[in-house]
Amino acid sequence: MEPWFEEEPDDAESLPGLPVTLDAIVRGEPMPEVTWQFDGDSLDLTRAAQKYRTMYDRGSGRCSLIIADVTEDDDGVYTCRLENQHGETECDVDLDINVLERVSPAAAPQQPRMRGGKWAQDGSEK
């Protein structure tokens, strides 16, 4: 029986510096081989890379891609590809890395503060 996704991985969002896990549940007979790609390229899953880790429990069909310490460079489309002797299928997952804009101290709104018993804001007394 050719492979299929019982549960496709969901699109995800993250902030830089956090880990992200993309999960799916897969089926097929025999159970499919699972590979992951990023923007069309195979991921480096060697122990030396340590950026990406995969987990696959053939009994439950649960497979995961764990991305450690995401950065802006990890923003893009990940593809989970299933293959066995009867066929292949794939599913795309969109990962958005949200980068917070840094505000310079001069541009940041200033909090009112007490000066000489009166409230002052933006450096001027009122």
Side-chain angles (χ1 to χ4, degrees), residues 57-122:
D57 179 352
R58 289 180 181 266
S60 67
R62 179 168 303 279
C63 61
S64 303
L65 173 66
I66 301 121
I67 308 167
D69 191 27
V70 297
T71 67
E72 290 177 67
D73 294 336
D74 297 312
D75 189 291
V77 177
Y78 290 80
T79 302
C80 182
R81 188 169 191 279
L82 312 178
E83 185 175 356
N84 69 12
Q85 64 196 34
H86 301 292
E88 59 188 57
T89 189
E90 60 186 38
C91 174
D92 289 339
V93 183
D94 201 22
L95 176 60
D96 291 319
I97 306 302
N98 298 317
V99 179
L100 300 175
E101 291 184 34
R102 289 188 170 79
V103 179
S104 70
Q110 294 186 3
Q111 297 294 321
R113 51 190 88 123
M114 191 67 98
R115 286 200 186 138
K118 297 182 182 178
W119 285 105
Q121 186 166 353
D122 297 326

Side-chain angles (χ1 to χ4, degrees), residues 9 13-14 16 20 23 27-30 32 42 49 51-53 57 59 64 66 77 82 94 100 107 115 118-119 124:
E13 291 183 20
S14 182
V20 170
D23 292 311
R27 299 283 182 235
E29 187 59 44
S42 294
K51 173 75 175 177
Y52 305 103
R53 252 187 27 224
D57 179 352
S64 303
I66 301 121
V77 177
L82 312 178
D94 201 22
L100 300 175
R115 286 200 186 138
K118 297 182 182 178
W119 285 105
S124 60

